[in-house]
């Protein structure tokens, strides 16, 4: 595994990847990057607009290109990824090459509460938000579990507690080959 100093956060929308990532980057003195933000900066367009004008397939292509371009360039960085990024075939392997992949797992209820009233996620837009969330969550959880080097349960934990858990036994999970 190259880029051992990097931590790659994966998980469902609302699982806390951005908050945990920024907090951890600050604690470790690492850089923080977010694939959605990188895409928005590159495309000069919001994720919502990309979905609306070019469609999900195109957005998934941009996600894959983004992580491909990071290979060998990422150092001392916490990378937060969009919730659907690990689901695209081939992206799991690419993520594991970038650093230690951590799945921030959260229960349905926790995610439901965190996403209540949110209208920024195209995949949950419109009616039946709860049903859409449940279907995606059931499809994606096994993939997150397979892609991750480590799984951290985040329900009812503070940012500090989650960050400590991520940092604990860190070297134990530094894998030298994949
Ligand atoms: C998506 C999650 C979003 C964003 C896009 C699609 C998904 O990122 O990439 O709306 O498919 O789960 P967050 O996980 O940061 O919300």
């Amino acid at each position: 595994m190259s880029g051992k100093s990097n931590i790659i956060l994966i998980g469902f929308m609302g699982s806390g990847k951005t908050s945990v990532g920024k907090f951890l980057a600050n604690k470790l003195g690492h850089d923080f990057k977010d694939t959605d933000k990188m895409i928005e900066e590159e495309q000069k367009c919001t994720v919502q607009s990309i979905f609306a004008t070019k469609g999900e397939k195109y957005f998934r292509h941009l996600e894959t290109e983004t992580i491909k371009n990071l290979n060998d360039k990422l150092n001392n960085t916490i990378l937060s990824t969009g919730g659907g990024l690990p689901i695209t075939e081939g992206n799991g392997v690419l993520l594991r090459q970038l650093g230690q992949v951590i799945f921030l797992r959260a229960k349905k209820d926790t995610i439901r509460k965190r996403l209540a009233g949110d209208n920024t996620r195209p995949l949950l837009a419109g009616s039946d938000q709860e049903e859409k969330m449940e279907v995606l969550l059931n499809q994606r959880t096994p993939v997150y579990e397979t892609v991750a080097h480590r799984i951290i349960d985040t329900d009812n934990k503070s940012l500090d507690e989650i960050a400590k858990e991520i940092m604990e036994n860190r070297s134990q999970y530094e894998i030298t080959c994949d």
Side-chain angles (χ1 to χ4, degrees):
M1 180 168 72
S2 67
K4 282 183 197 165
S5 58
N6 303 314
I7 292 176
I8 317 300
L9 299 177
I10 65 169
F12 203 73
M13 296 170 260
S15 61
K17 291 163 293 180
T18 306
S19 334
V20 170
K22 284 184 176 165
F23 185 85
L24 194 62
N26 194 32
K27 256 195 142 72
L28 293 173
H30 278 26
D31 290 334
F32 173 77
K33 284 190 196 302
D34 177 300
T35 56
D36 284 344
K37 289 278 162 296
M38 293 170 75
I39 291 171
E40 288 183 338
E41 277 162 25
E42 164 87 19
Q43 298 294 310
K44 298 181 179 47
C45 193
T46 63
V47 169
Q48 277 169 292
S49 307
I50 300 170
F51 266 78
T53 57
K54 305 229 169 118
E56 180 177 353
K57 200 168 164 207
Y58 185 71
F59 177 73
R60 298 302 171 201
H61 158 75
L62 294 176
E63 286 188 314
T64 302
E65 287 307 298
T66 302
I67 54 168
K68 271 190 190 158
N69 288 336
L70 283 175
N71 208 5
D72 293 331
K73 287 186 203 132
L74 211 62
N75 278 309
N76 296 324
T77 300
I78 313 293
L79 177 72
S80 169
T81 58
L85 188 148
I87 311 305
T88 304
E89 216 182 322
N91 283 0
V93 172
L94 292 171
L95 289 176
R96 289 171 69 96
Q97 284 168 352
L98 290 175
Q100 185 187 113
V101 181
I102 299 184
F103 170 26
L104 295 183
R105 188 162 60 187
K107 292 200 171 93
K108 231 169 260 174
D109 269 356
T110 306
I111 289 175
R112 191 182 292 127
K113 277 182 209 145
R114 289 194 191 143
L115 293 179
D118 181 285
N119 53 11
T120 64
R121 268 90 171 187
L123 291 184
L124 302 178
S127 55
D128 305 326
Q129 193 196 53
E130 192 147 335
E131 204 181 310
K132 286 176 186 159
M133 190 196 87
E134 202 154 328
V135 169
L136 282 176
L137 200 51
N138 290 339
Q139 283 171 352
R140 291 176 172 187
T141 301
V143 182
Y144 296 141
E145 287 172 350
T146 305
V147 169
H149 292 113
R150 295 173 69 190
I151 300 172
I152 294 195
D153 286 307
T154 61
D155 305 280
N156 305 314
K157 288 181 189 158
S158 66
L159 286 180
D160 202 39
E161 284 170 319
I162 298 167
K164 276 201 182 109
E165 247 182 83
I166 291 177
M167 290 186 298
E168 268 166 25
N169 308 322
R170 216 177 134 197
S171 58
Q172 187 185 321
Y173 296 93
E174 283 190 354
I175 296 162
T176 49
C177 56
D178 231 332

